[in-house]
Amino acid sequence: DRFAQRYKAAQEQLQTWKQAKREAEHNSDQAGVQKAEHAIKEAGEAIDELDLFRKNLQSFVRSYEFLSQIISFDDPELEQLCVFAKHLHPLLRVDRLEQDEIDLSELALTHYRLTKHQEQRLPLEVQEDNADYSLRPVSEVGSGKPHDPDKKPLAEIIDRLNDLFGAEVSDEDKLHFAQGVADRIERDETVMAEVNRNSPQQLMHGQFPQRVADIVLDAMNDNEKMSMEILDNKEKGKDFAMLILQLIAGRQDGSVSAGAGQR
């Protein structure tokens, strides 16, 4: 709740001062322009700080889940923190901040289950040919930097894809899958006509989610794993349909290019 309030307040400040800057420029008020630019910078930094917190939260979960398979931390509180952070991160998505508040007062962690998917040997020894380790260490959690504003929409899409599909599939493969669905949607003139004349909320209550599901069915042979996750989970299917809308909008305004990738 505090995250949502701070994020919303920072966004409102950003919009307010952008408007103030436009008015100052119109009135040739140089002092007003400088004051507005300073406030815009502060609001932008506040938003970047919150975005970075969300990113670091996910980085902690991924690092802990990986390392805990190799090292026994024997720390129940650290395990509880990881579980809490893992469930908190999806709630901090920007598109969910405006949704109705969920009452978690009676929610309590009573138990958890670890499922063994596979077992394999991790070669950690030094390689003779290049004197390097086979397993590269994770980067320092919390050392990340705010995203480049020009790449931020794409980064947000990748974060959404990670929420939907987890870390088992690479970012490039997940983005390629989503880009392919968006490509097919854009080739459908009837659907694009609806996209261009309706709001995202209206589209999500219409036939758009079903059209996305139809295209996912067409792509099932090449993307079976992700396709089944969307088709078997109605809520995840709706989330993915909303993501596709964001991807199309990003292409139309130039913030996301077709076929773009990110590592």
Side-chain angles (χ1 to χ4, degrees):
D1 187 49
R2 284 185 297 173
F3 182 93
Q5 291 176 356
R6 290 178 60 186
Y7 205 99
K8 184 177 180 181
Q11 287 181 318
E12 290 176 349
Q13 284 291 319
L14 185 62
Q15 295 303 319
T16 298
W17 284 107
K18 282 184 176 180
Q19 178 62 30
K21 180 183 177 182
R22 287 192 291 267
E23 293 178 357
E25 289 175 339
H26 179 72
N27 297 327
S28 300
D29 181 1
Q30 188 60 32
V33 170
Q34 292 179 351
K35 181 179 179 181
E37 288 178 344
H38 179 71
I40 289 172
K41 180 181 178 182
E42 288 185 340
E45 289 175 348
I47 292 175
D48 286 343
E49 181 180 346
L50 293 170
D51 286 337
L52 193 57
F53 168 77
R54 184 160 48 91
K55 175 181 178 295
N56 287 340
L57 195 69
Q58 187 178 45
S59 297
F60 163 73
V61 172
R62 290 179 175 176
S63 298
Y64 179 82
E65 288 184 338
F66 172 71
L67 293 173
S68 62
Q69 298 178 60
I70 304 173
I71 305 170
S72 176
F73 290 101
D74 194 22
D75 188 338
E77 291 186 358
L78 191 59
E79 180 69 29
Q80 291 173 2
L81 176 61
C82 179
V83 173
F84 174 79
K86 185 174 183 178
H87 288 80
L88 174 63
H89 179 265
L91 300 179
L92 302 184
R93 275 182 15 205
V94 177
D95 61 314
R96 289 188 174 181
L97 298 183
E98 299 296 331
Q99 295 182 1
D100 294 336
E101 183 177 352
I102 301 175
D103 183 11
L104 301 177
S105 59
E106 298 183 3
L107 180 64
L109 176 65
T110 58
H111 60 279
Y112 61 89
R113 181 181 66 183
L114 299 177
T115 302
K116 182 177 180 180
H117 293 288
Q118 66 180 39
E119 182 176 343
Q120 66 184 64
R121 182 174 179 273
L122 295 176
L124 302 179
E125 69 274 7
V126 176
Q127 299 295 304
E128 295 180 358
D129 54 348
N130 57 8
D132 195 6
Y133 290 97
S134 298
L135 181 64
R136 294 183 179 180
V138 296
S139 59
E140 184 178 352
V141 176
S143 62
K145 302 296 182 183
H147 288 296
D148 183 336
D150 293 335
K151 298 180 179 179
K152 189 173 181 179
L154 182 59
E156 290 177 351
I157 288 174
I158 290 179
D159 284 343
R160 296 275 300 281
L161 287 168
N162 287 333
D163 290 340
L164 288 171
F165 302 119
E168 294 182 4
V169 182
S170 70
D171 287 351
E172 289 184 349
D173 287 342
K174 284 179 285 196
L175 186 58
H176 178 74
F177 173 72
Q179 293 276 20
V181 174
D183 285 340
R184 297 192 184 198
I185 287 289
E186 289 184 328
R187 291 196 295 267
D188 191 321
E189 295 181 358
T190 302
V191 176
M192 287 305 299
E194 294 182 5
V195 169
N196 292 327
R197 67 169 177 262
N198 293 291
S199 68
Q201 291 75 17
Q202 291 172 323
L203 287 167
M204 295 306 296
H205 286 88
Q207 296 299 314
F208 185 79
Q210 182 58 48
R211 182 62 186 129
V212 171
D214 291 341
I215 288 178
V216 169
L217 279 171
D218 294 338
M220 184 179 293
N221 290 336
D222 295 330
N223 305 280
E224 182 175 357
K225 181 182 182 299
M226 290 186 287
S227 299
M228 291 306 299
E229 289 188 27
I230 291 173
L231 297 173
D232 290 343
N233 188 316
K234 187 175 181 180
E235 288 302 315
K236 185 173 287 189
K238 288 185 176 181
D239 284 345
F240 186 73
M242 179 61 77
L243 183 150
I244 293 299
L245 278 178
Q246 181 183 352
L247 191 58
I248 292 172
R251 289 178 173 185
Q252 291 179 335
D253 64 21
S255 61
V256 178
S257 60
Q262 174 170 319
R263 291 186 179 273

